[in-house]
Amino acid sequence: MAFVTRQFVRSMSSSTAAASAKKILVKHVTVIGGGLMGAGIAQVAAATGHTVVLVDQTEDILAKSRKGIEESLRKVAKKKFAENPKGADEFVAKTLSSISTSTDAASVVHSTDLVVEAIVENLQVKNELFKRLDKFAAEHTIFASNTSSLQITSLANSTTRQDRFAGLHFFNPVPLMKLVEVIKTPMTSQKTFESLLDFSRALGKHPVACKDTPGFIVNRLLVPYLMEAVRLCERGEASKEDIDTAMKLGAGYPMGPFELLDYVGLDTTKFILDGWHEMDSKNPLFQPCPSLDKLVAEKKFGKKSGEGFYKYK
């Protein structure tokens, strides 16, 4: 009888462990930040059957975000329902009906499964946000940051849910780019990690896993490549035009490194590089680039400002 009892207890313990490790099915999503990335994340989540609340500081920002989402959806619908205009209209209307907005994040996170933060790349501002929301969110709620450069562990440590915290790095433009980097810190539970992989797939994305290392996968490889192109030009070994042409025709890249830098934003690239340099000042890949620093100081950020390495009309 004792043997049977022990077997029963073991069986019950295993069942309980399995139940506690059950992945979270994300249905309700709160996106903090109505900018380009936040709006894109909200759009793809709503378009794939999720209920979304988009949060930002003012109603004006949210109105602009919603307008941008609607315009983007109409472009998607035009391609998706080329032979069915009515179906296109229904798709847009249904997706928009799944997105509500709010200027008070604390009041909406109590019933959400996932919070995705996509605000300004500032560690202190992000930490203050997460620390505040941690007090109001449900126990099961997963927190994720869309940061491209900050350490996920540092963000997670501002909360009491380090095991339910990870990175979820989307790429711009979110509706078109298939990749999502899912970043697991040493504290992120397997349950949280797998739940975010499933969520990414539910969005129609292709998730890749990475540990909490500077730049994750894409930026860790991309930014040093871009900076080496700048250094090559700084040393006078090739012109920016020839470097761009060489990488497009020789490597098959759609854009050369200087064209890509201007597209991404020189201020954004400098911010990432400066952050890495602060973390590891001896790493030769993370050293500052004088010509990049000069252009940013002159507020020449690339396409968005009208001039960067190239001039734009």
Side-chain angles (χ1 to χ4, degrees):
M1 177 63 80
F3 173 77
V4 173
T5 303
R6 282 198 299 273
Q7 289 292 90
F8 178 75
V9 170
R10 284 197 196 103
S11 176
M12 288 299 290
S13 298
S14 299
S15 299
T16 303
S20 65
K22 189 177 180 181
K23 291 182 286 185
I24 293 171
L25 178 61
V26 175
K27 294 181 179 179
H28 304 285
V29 184
T30 298
V31 180
I32 313 291
L36 204 58
M37 295 302 293
I41 296 166
Q43 176 184 324
V44 296
T48 49
H50 299 84
T51 302
V52 180
V53 181
L54 181 60
V55 180
D56 213 308
Q57 294 176 314
T58 69
E59 293 292 351
D60 286 345
I61 294 173
L62 290 168
K64 185 178 178 182
S65 300
R66 194 171 181 85
K67 183 180 178 183
I69 290 171
E70 182 172 357
E71 290 173 354
S72 177
L73 280 171
R74 293 203 178 280
K75 290 178 183 177
V76 172
K78 191 174 181 180
K79 291 182 179 179
K80 190 174 182 179
F81 300 91
E83 306 297 324
N84 183 8
K86 185 180 178 183
D89 290 340
E90 289 173 351
F91 169 76
V92 172
K94 183 180 179 182
T95 303
L96 288 174
S97 71
S98 297
I99 303 174
S100 59
T101 59
S102 176
T103 56
D104 185 3
S107 69
V108 298
V109 297
H110 61 86
S111 59
T112 196
D113 299 315
L114 172 66
V115 173
V116 182
E117 167 273 315
I119 64 172
V120 62
E121 285 284 83
N122 182 297
L123 182 64
Q124 183 179 346
V125 174
K126 289 180 188 287
N127 277 342
E128 288 173 358
L129 172 71
F130 282 124
K131 184 177 181 180
R132 179 166 173 261
L133 297 186
D134 190 38
K135 299 173 183 176
F136 296 94
E139 186 178 346
H140 79 279
T141 303
I142 296 172
F143 282 9
S145 175
N146 182 58
T147 182
S148 60
S149 60
L150 299 176
Q151 190 180 45
I152 301 298
T153 302
S154 297
L155 297 172
N157 284 338
S158 67
T159 75
T160 59
R161 62 182 74 218
Q162 290 97 330
D163 60 322
R164 288 151 286 157
F165 202 114
L168 205 56
H169 183 219
F170 292 82
F171 290 80
N172 184 36
V174 179
L176 298 180
M177 298 293 278
K178 288 291 185 183
L179 186 67
V180 177
E181 292 175 324
V182 182
I183 314 306
K184 186 179 183 183
T185 77
M187 302 168 291
T188 306
S189 71
Q190 190 65 21
K191 172 183 173 180
T192 295
F193 178 64
E194 290 181 7
S195 296
L196 290 176
L197 290 176
D198 287 350
F199 171 68
S200 301
R201 294 186 188 103
L203 298 182
K205 304 300 184 185
H206 189 120
V208 293
C210 185
K211 291 183 178 179
D212 192 13
T213 186
F216 315 136
I217 298 174
V218 174
N219 281 338
R220 183 60 179 268
L221 296 173
L222 180 62
V223 173
Y225 151 71
L226 296 175
M227 291 305 96
E228 189 55 30
V230 175
R231 294 184 185 108
L232 190 68
C233 186
E234 284 177 343
R235 293 192 297 266
E237 293 166 352
S239 69
K240 62 181 183 291
E241 292 84 2
D242 281 351
I243 292 170
D244 278 350
T245 299
M247 294 312 295
K248 285 188 286 186
L249 299 184
Y253 290 4
M255 300 173 77
F258 291 93
E259 292 171 326
L260 184 55
L261 278 162
D262 277 356
Y263 177 79
V264 170
L266 305 189
D267 53 335
T268 301
T269 305
K270 175 176 162 53
F271 180 86
I272 293 170
L273 191 65
D274 288 349
W276 293 358
H277 182 64
E278 191 176 326
M279 281 190 277
D280 185 3
S281 61
K282 294 182 180 179
N283 192 321
L285 297 176
F286 300 166
Q287 298 307 305
C289 284
S291 57
L292 177 68
D293 291 346
K294 182 176 183 293
L295 287 169
V296 172
E298 295 170 352
K299 299 194 182 304
K300 296 175 181 177
F301 302 143
K303 290 194 77 172
K304 62 185 175 184
S305 67
E307 184 176 353
F309 283 105
Y310 296 107
K311 290 184 179 180
Y312 303 87
K313 293 182 180 180

